Amino acid sequence: IDDAWGSFIEVYGDEKGGVDRIFADFGFSYIPSKNLQWDISAGGGKNQGVEDYFVSVGISWRYLPAFDSAQI
């Protein structure tokens, strides 16, 4: 969307033993700094009378420990 916000949409499925399944997911991410990201996603599917849904919330961060390159 821009430098701080991102999004995705995906539709996917498979076929096994003559049974087709289809699912859809979507989500958003926000990067408040170069070492931190928040995200939320959701999705689901309805296959053979069974409904399946999920919601996910996450946080990711980059940790770069200080090290002496001579020790590597």
Side-chain angles (χ1 to χ4, degrees), residues 8-13 22-26 42-46 52 54:
F8 75 90
I9 297 174
E10 66 178 343
V11 177
Y12 60 97
I22 190 162
F23 304 92
D25 300 344
F26 65 94
K46 184 174 181 181
D52 183 26
F54 78 91

Side-chain angles (χ1 to χ4, degrees), residues 18-36:
V19 177
D20 295 328
R21 301 185 310 165
I22 190 162
F23 304 92
D25 300 344
F26 65 94
F28 296 95
S29 64
Y30 176 64
I31 303 173
S33 72
K34 72 177 192 173
N35 294 321
L36 183 65

Side-chain angles (χ1 to χ4, degrees), residues 1-7 28-33 36-38:
I1 300 174
D2 64 21
D3 289 343
W5 287 94
S7 66
F28 296 95
S29 64
Y30 176 64
I31 303 173
S33 72
L36 183 65
Q37 175 179 307
W38 301 326

